[in-house]
Amino acid sequence: MQKLLVAKMGIEFIYDKNQLTTIDEISVSVAVLRDLVQTLNIQNEAQKLQELKTILDGVVRKNRLLPGAVGVSDRE
């Protein structure tokens, strides 16, 4: 698993480099991008983390990737 820190949030972006590389293209709708941006404004970190997981799970399904291909986790 490759991890990237989401700046100032204590949340890590994780992707399975056995399934994806940083140059792979995936399909993401404008609505998903909107949801991601809105989620970043949630003050409650636990709720924010859960919302991000839900959104990314949908991206994984839409792109027919294996579960766990991309996700987020609490840095701690």
Side-chain angles (χ1 to χ4, degrees), residues 4 9 12 24-25 27 35 39 42 44 46 52-53 55 61 67:
L4 300 172
M9 289 183 8
E12 289 179 312
D24 283 329
E25 294 185 16
S27 176
D35 293 346
T39 298
I42 296 173
N44 181 297
L52 289 170
K53 285 180 180 181
I55 292 167
R61 282 191 305 279

Side-chain angles (χ1 to χ4, degrees), residues 50-62 67-68 70-71:
Q50 187 55 48
E51 291 291 329
L52 289 170
K53 285 180 180 181
T54 300
I55 292 167
L56 291 175
D57 285 347
V59 170
V60 166
R61 282 191 305 279
K62 178 176 174 116
V70 297

Side-chain angles (χ1 to χ4, degrees), residues 13 21 25 27 45 48 51 75:
F13 173 77
T21 68
E25 294 185 16
S27 176
E45 290 294 315
K48 183 185 302 184
E51 291 291 329
R75 182 172 59 173

